Amino acid sequence: LERLASAGLLVRRQGVGTFVADTRVARIASRLLGFREDARAQGLEPHTRVLGTSHEPVGAEDGGLLSLDPAAQVLRVRRLRFNGDEPIGINTVVVMPAFVADLAGLNYVDSFYEGVARTLGSEVEQAETTTEAVAASAGDAELLEIEAGAPLLRSTRVTYLADGRLVGLTRTIYRGDRYYF
């Protein structure tokens, strides 16, 4: 038991007992960090697989959040997030039209925020984030290796550069059994 506790697999609480440690990834909400930074801060092994990129109309929902006409062309990148070998989230990055030319060539396997800072010379420093509970669609459930209808956390983050310019948004759905805010 002592070895399991020192490995972080068990948690001991004096006067209460010994419990299996929580295996969910905690999202640090007090600082503006990306997925990789959050996971690494907890000693996890995050990695990303790009599912696809497209230049397409922003649409009504995202257009409303970004104050864009629904027909405005944006760059949309869809990524699958992992902790080790386990898929825990699906992330979509939407880049504002003004930054598409500069950010289209980023390596989206790496941190979007680090790529923005390197390419634009300005960090993503401010955000407006909303989080809600949603049910997994059949397609998302297949990617996340869960049942359709399983609970997910959907986080939408509208992001701004340090100088106040709107760079775009990220929307991520996280497995409810493996991630919490």
Side-chain angles (χ1 to χ4, degrees):
L1 288 176
E2 193 64 42
R3 279 188 267 146
L4 291 172
S6 65
L9 300 173
L10 294 178
V11 176
R12 290 187 167 171
R13 295 191 183 112
Q14 182 139 0
V16 179
T18 301
F19 305 92
V20 175
D22 195 346
T23 59
R24 297 176 295 175
V25 179
R27 180 79 166 93
I28 302 166
S30 61
R31 293 181 54 208
L32 187 57
L33 298 175
F35 168 76
R36 286 180 40 194
E37 294 84 2
D38 278 346
R40 284 185 178 155
Q42 297 175 62
L44 302 176
E45 295 294 327
H47 67 95
T48 298
R49 183 172 83 214
V50 175
L51 299 172
T53 62
S54 60
H55 290 82
E56 61 186 52
V58 68
E61 182 181 6
D62 292 346
L65 292 170
L66 299 172
S67 299
L68 291 173
D69 182 281
Q73 292 289 308
V74 295
L75 172 64
R76 194 176 304 270
V77 181
R78 195 160 184 245
R79 310 182 290 177
L80 185 59
R81 304 297 207 158
F82 294 86
N83 174 29
D85 293 332
E86 183 178 43
I88 62 170
I90 302 169
N91 171 259
T92 302
V93 176
V94 179
V95 177
M96 290 291 285
F99 297 111
V100 168
D102 292 327
L103 300 178
L106 288 184
N107 177 357
Y108 283 91
V109 170
D110 295 331
S111 168
F112 174 62
Y113 294 161
E114 289 174 8
V116 166
R118 223 180 13 259
T119 304
L120 300 179
S122 181
E123 298 208 9
V124 175
E125 200 169 275
Q126 303 170 36
E128 298 164 1
T129 304
T130 58
T131 304
E132 60 188 323
V134 297
S137 69
D140 291 340
E142 183 177 343
L143 286 170
L144 294 172
E145 300 175 4
I146 57 175
E147 296 291 322
L152 301 173
L153 290 173
R154 177 179 149 169
S155 174
T156 303
R157 180 185 278 184
V158 177
T159 54
Y160 300 85
L161 297 174
D163 62 11
R165 291 180 293 164
L166 178 58
V167 71
L169 68 79
T170 61
R171 179 174 290 112
T172 309
I173 54 172
Y174 297 103
R175 286 178 52 168
D177 63 337
R178 292 290 184 258
Y179 212 84
Y180 66 95
F181 282 87

